[in-house]
Amino acid sequence: MSPPGVLPALPQRVDPLGDWFGIDRSAMAINLTLGSWHLDLDGRAVFLLLLSATILILAAVPVFASGKPELRRRWTTWALILPVIGIPMWLGPGPTALLAAALGAQAVREFAAMLRRPPAPLTTDAMRATAAAHMSAGASGVWRQAMNGVPSKLYAQAAADAGVPVLPFALHAIGARGARSLAAGALAAALGAKGQPLLRRFYAPYLAGLGLAYWAGLRIILRR
């Protein structure tokens, strides 16, 4: 029994996986500094990163030596899983959102390549023609989508139809959607800071006006 007023000592942390490997995972650390950007990883995050990378590297040797495209595709899928899990763990929700947007666009691209024409509600032939014209120039054509109102799923579909390589399309999709999100967020923050007193007084009319503006804009886009 501990004396009155004294907290009992906490039991020593048990790490059966670290004990099995004969290592101290808590001592592992990665510290990177790029200008004002800092990345600090320690403990389990570093161990999982090193373990996953080691497994992928060891598996890559027989996979690529086999010369079988199916095995290479499967290995690439597992290699992509590493950032999908690691980025949310290490860098937070911002990079995760950008990665999810790119993976979503790529998923539509893959399905578009397998199907004649996947469902695309609230789209028109003019939208499809615009996306096809932009993506005929290559992966950078997805940047034209940011301000024209054409859904990104049509650009992903057009990329598949045009045979745009997967990696360039994914990278340009991350850049284009990320830049648009940052610009829209900065504009909303600036307008919110200036218009906060009015919004508090006229919030209901503001929501009604915003809904009408969205409806009118959608009608204009669909009639183009």
Side-chain angles (χ1 to χ4, degrees):
M1 294 291 292
S2 300
V6 178
L7 295 176
L10 295 175
Q12 187 176 3
R13 185 176 151 195
V14 178
D15 185 5
L17 185 60
D19 295 339
W20 189 78
F21 279 99
I23 57 177
D24 181 10
R25 295 196 294 174
S26 62
M28 294 182 173
I30 295 178
N31 301 301
L32 298 177
T33 301
L34 297 175
S36 60
W37 184 78
H38 302 277
L39 175 63
D40 299 310
L41 305 177
D42 55 26
R44 187 177 64 172
V46 178
F47 173 79
L48 292 176
L49 171 62
L50 296 177
L51 179 62
S52 302
T54 300
I55 293 174
L56 287 172
I57 293 171
L58 293 177
V61 176
V63 166
F64 286 90
S66 69
K68 296 181 179 180
E70 179 63 23
L71 289 180
R72 288 199 298 268
R73 282 194 293 268
R74 290 177 181 272
W75 182 90
T76 302
T77 300
W78 282 102
L80 291 175
I81 290 175
L82 179 59
V84 170
I85 297 175
I87 287 177
M89 182 185 297
W90 304 322
L91 302 183
T96 304
L98 295 180
L99 182 61
L103 292 177
Q106 180 55 27
V108 174
R109 183 184 184 278
E110 294 289 340
F111 281 116
M114 292 188 293
L115 303 174
R116 287 185 176 181
R117 192 64 59 187
L122 298 179
T123 61
T124 63
D125 291 338
M127 291 181 182
R128 284 186 279 273
T130 298
H134 291 167
M135 294 312 300
S136 65
S140 60
V142 74
W143 286 86
R144 306 277 299 271
Q145 183 268 340
M147 298 299 295
N148 63 11
V150 177
S152 59
K153 59 189 175 185
L154 295 187
Y155 276 80
Q157 180 177 296
D161 294 340
V164 176
V166 173
L167 183 58
F169 175 77
L171 293 176
H172 280 285
I174 289 174
R177 295 174 71 85
R180 184 177 65 177
S181 297
L182 288 174
L187 179 62
L191 293 178
K194 295 293 184 180
Q196 187 176 17
L198 288 176
L199 287 177
R200 288 182 174 178
R201 293 180 58 188
F202 305 104
Y203 191 64
Y206 159 75
L207 287 181
L210 189 64
L212 288 174
Y214 179 82
W215 174 79
L218 184 61
R219 283 181 60 87
I220 291 173
I221 291 174
L222 292 176
R223 290 187 173 186
R224 287 171 57 181

